[in-house]
Amino acid sequence: PFLWRETADKEEVGYTVWAPFSQDTDYFKPSEKPYMFNFRVANLVEMLAALREEGVTVVGEMAEEPNGKFAWIMDPEGNKIELWEPVPSAEDPYLPK
């Protein structure tokens, strides 16, 4: 991952991951695209409620992982988008300590 510091809190570490998938992956379905974007959000539960209210298609159920909460939506162009509410960096098991 590419590590960086939060602007508002220099002690908080964030990271960006670029991860290629195998050509035959089904992780991006129901999108027909061979890629997916991932956006960090502050409150995933509230974000999903607001998106549903606007008629956005939510794919599957929210997942809670050691590094945060994840959910997936479809944009109007058929792209699958992953939304991620990360845990504080001190609690993230994937960051170097």
Side-chain angles (χ1 to χ4, degrees), residues 1 3 15 65-68 70 84 87 89 91-97:
L3 302 177
Y15 57 96
E65 301 292 337
N67 62 329
F70 292 86
W84 172 36
V87 296
S89 60
E91 299 172 21
D92 191 318
Y94 302 117
L95 284 173
K97 302 296 181 219

Side-chain angles (χ1 to χ4, degrees), residues 5-6 8 16 27-28 40 49 65 69-71 73:
R5 299 279 178 178
E6 294 281 351
T16 302
Y27 190 66
F28 307 129
R40 293 165 54 106
E65 301 292 337
K69 298 175 187 170
F70 292 86
I73 62 170

Side-chain angles (χ1 to χ4, degrees), residues 41-49 62-63 69-71 83-85:
V41 300
N43 186 318
L44 187 54
V45 171
E46 285 182 12
M47 174 68 74
L48 289 174
M62 184 177 72
K69 298 175 187 170
F70 292 86
L83 303 174
W84 172 36
E85 179 185 338

Side-chain angles (χ1 to χ4, degrees), residues 19-22 25-37 74 78-80:
F21 283 72
S22 69
T25 185
D26 62 355
Y27 190 66
F28 307 129
K29 292 201 179 296
S31 176
E32 299 291 323
K33 309 287 177 71
Y35 57 85
M36 178 175 62
F37 295 104
M74 296 297 290
N79 298 299
K80 186 176 179 184

